[in-house]
Amino acid sequence: MLSEALQKQRDRLLPCVHCGFCLPACPTYNRLGDEADSPRGRLHLMRAVVEGRLDAGSEAFGIHIDRCLGCRACEPVCPSGVEYGTLLELARETVAEHRPPRFLTRALLWVFASSFRRALFFVPSRLIRGLGIASLGAALMPAVGPLKTAKLALAMLASTTGWSRLRALGNAGATTAGAADSPAGPLSAESSTAPAAVGSRRRVAVLTGCVQEGLFTRLNRATVRTLEANGYEVVPVGGQDCCGALHAHGGDLEQARALARANIVAFESIDADAIAVNTAGCGAAMKDYGVLLENDLEISGRARELSAKVKDVTELLAQAGPLSGAEVTCTVAYDHPCHLLHAQRVEQPPLTVLAAIPGVEVRIVENADECCGGAGIYGITHPELGGEIGRDKVAAVRACAADAVVTANPGCMMQIGAGLRLEGAPEGVLHPVELLDESYRRAGYY
Ligand code: SF4
Ligand code: SF4
C-alpha cells in the first residue's frame, strides 16, 4: 500500500521534465553509470510508485532510493526547481513502510533519538579522547569484511578527538595554548575582551546538537565565543533535542517530526532573533521544518517561523563582518559541505570567515561541491560506495598540499578526517569557526 505522505507529493514530482541536467552532478550516477542511480531515474521510480505502476516494496525501488546519498547536488542545477530532498525523504518513508531498514541503520537512528546517546557520547567520548583508544583501534584493526566498517567508525571517532584538533591547529601554525577542548561547562562563553563589535546585540540561540555536544564540544564553545566577540548576545536554550535530520534522511519522518516539535517548543521559549547552527545537515533540516510539518496545521505556522530564524553560524558571522583576529599563518584546503552549499545555498560565508583570519591562504578543493561520502550515516551503512567517494575526496584534499582541511560540517569533518587517518596523512580537519576562534585567542580577545 502506498504511503499517504508520498501520495500527497504528486505535485512535487510533476515539475521534472526529464531533461537530465542533474545527471552530471550526481555522485552515484557518475560512479555507477546506472540511470536508476541518477536523480532523474530515482524520480521516475518515485512517480511509478505514486502512479501504482511499481510496487513500493519492490527491490528496485528500495535499492536505488537507499543508494542515494541525499547530497542534493541535483537541486541547484535543476531548471525546474524539483524539490528532490523533500521527495527523497518521503520516498524513504515509503520504502521503510515496506522494507524495514537494516539493523545497523535502525540502531544508529535509535542512538541519536534516545537519551542513551548521552551515556554513549558524553562520558565515554571523553574517555576515548583521553586514552586515544579510537585512534589506536583504527590503526590496529585490519580493514577486511565487517571489520572495515568498524575500523572506519573508529577512525571517524578518532578524528573528533582533542589530539586530532591539536594536530590540525598545530599544522595550521597555531599555538596549543587553549587549543584543546574546553571543559564541557554550560553553553556560554568567557567574557570577551574583543574590540567593540559591529552591529547591534541581536539575541542568538545555538543548536547544541545530539552527539555534537559530546564529540565536538570545542566547536560548540568556539561558536559561542566567536558570536559573542562579534556582538551577538548568546542565550542558552534548555530542552532542545536532536534536529531530526538523520531520522528524516532514514525515512523515519514521524520521529523527525516529533523531534522538530520538541525543538520548536524549546526555541520558542527563548524568542531569539536567530538560531545559530554549526552543523550543515542540522541547519538544512531545521530550515525545512516548515515543509516537514506542513500537514500539521496546529504547528506548521510556528515551524515556518522557526525555520526563518535558522542561520548557519558562518552566515551570522559574515553578517557581522566578522571581526578580524590575530595572524594564523597556514594554508587550508576548503571543502563545501553538501547540506550547506546545495541544501542551504550558503557558499560564501565560510570563506568570509576564513578571510577574516590574517595569514590564512585558502585553496578550494577540486570538486569541492561533490559529496565526501559521509552523508549522515551513509559512510557507515554503505562502506563500499561511500568509501570510494570518500577516497576521491581525500585524494582531492591531499592534492591541495595544505596544512589542514577546513569544512563547515562535523559530519564531513569526521568522514574526511577518517579518510586521512586511514591513509596515514598528516592533515587535520577543522571547522572555519574553530580557526577563527584560535585567531581570536591569539589576539587576546578571550
Ligand atoms: S530533476 Fe530537474 S534537472 Fe533532473 S531531469 Fe528532472 S527537471 Fe531535469
Ligand atoms: S541527492 Fe545526490 S546522490 Fe541523490 S540523486 Fe541527488 S545528486 Fe544523486
Side-chain angles (χ1 to χ4, degrees), residues 96-406:
E97 285 169 1
H98 294 80
R99 300 162 62 93
R102 285 177 290 176
F103 172 76
L104 182 58
T105 303
R106 278 181 286 145
L108 288 169
L109 293 182
W110 176 76
V111 166
F112 290 122
S114 76
S115 54
F116 173 68
R117 68 168 184 265
R118 293 191 175 275
L120 187 67
F121 288 110
F122 280 57
V123 179
S125 73
R126 288 175 195 142
L127 189 63
I128 287 168
R129 282 182 292 185
L131 300 176
I133 290 173
S135 183
L136 190 62
L140 296 179
M141 190 174 279
V144 291
L147 289 181
K148 207 169 179 176
T149 304
K151 184 178 173 86
L152 174 67
L154 279 178
M156 290 173 85
L157 262 184
S159 71
T160 72
T161 61
W163 180 80
S164 178
R165 334 282 333 122
L166 283 172
R167 185 174 66 156
L169 287 169
N171 288 352
T175 57
T176 53
D181 287 6
S182 302
L187 191 69
S188 61
E190 307 91 287
S191 58
S192 167
T193 57
V198 187
S200 61
R201 276 186 74 78
R202 294 172 65 201
R203 279 164 58 83
V204 175
V206 174
L207 178 81
T208 51
C210 49
V211 299
Q212 177 87 348
E213 182 63 359
L215 295 183
F216 287 88
T217 313
R218 182 178 186 279
L219 173 57
N220 276 357
R221 299 298 176 270
T223 296
V224 174
R225 286 192 289 262
T226 54
L227 284 170
E228 292 198 336
N230 280 281
Y232 293 100
E233 178 193 356
V234 179
V235 285
V237 182
Q240 58 171 299
D241 211 322
C242 168
C243 69
L246 292 178
H247 303 85
H249 299 168
D252 189 354
L253 290 180
E254 273 317 302
Q255 183 63 35
R257 289 187 187 105
L259 291 165
R261 288 187 189 96
N263 280 327
I264 289 167
V265 171
F267 283 98
E268 278 179 342
S269 70
I270 296 303
D271 193 26
D273 300 310
I275 298 167
V277 182
N278 56 27
T279 306
C282 305
M286 294 183 79
K287 285 181 178 181
D288 277 347
Y289 275 180
V291 176
L292 181 68
L293 293 166
E294 65 185 357
N295 294 320
D296 183 342
L297 298 183
E298 276 187 25
I299 205 166
S300 58
R302 290 159 61 193
R304 283 194 297 276
E305 278 177 29
L306 180 127
S307 290
K309 289 184 178 181
V310 175
K311 300 283 178 206
D312 188 74
V313 59
T314 61
E315 287 183 277
L316 292 170
L317 290 169
Q319 281 174 15
L323 191 67
S324 188
E327 187 164 312
V328 183
T329 305
C330 63
T331 54
V332 299
Y334 183 77
D335 193 58
H336 290 292
C338 294
H339 282 86
L340 199 56
L341 183 68
H342 305 311
Q344 300 187 51
R345 315 285 166 97
V346 173
E347 180 175 7
Q348 191 56 40
L351 299 171
T352 302
V353 167
L354 293 173
I357 309 168
V360 170
E361 178 190 333
V362 178
R363 298 174 183 168
I364 304 293
V365 173
E366 189 177 358
N367 295 329
D369 57 348
E370 187 178 89
C371 182
C372 63
I377 55 175
Y378 191 96
I380 294 175
T381 56
H382 297 72
E384 295 300 330
L385 188 53
E388 184 183 333
I389 296 169
R391 282 191 291 279
D392 289 347
K393 180 63 71 182
V394 167
V397 161
R398 299 225 61 203
C400 291
D403 298 311
V405 189
V406 173

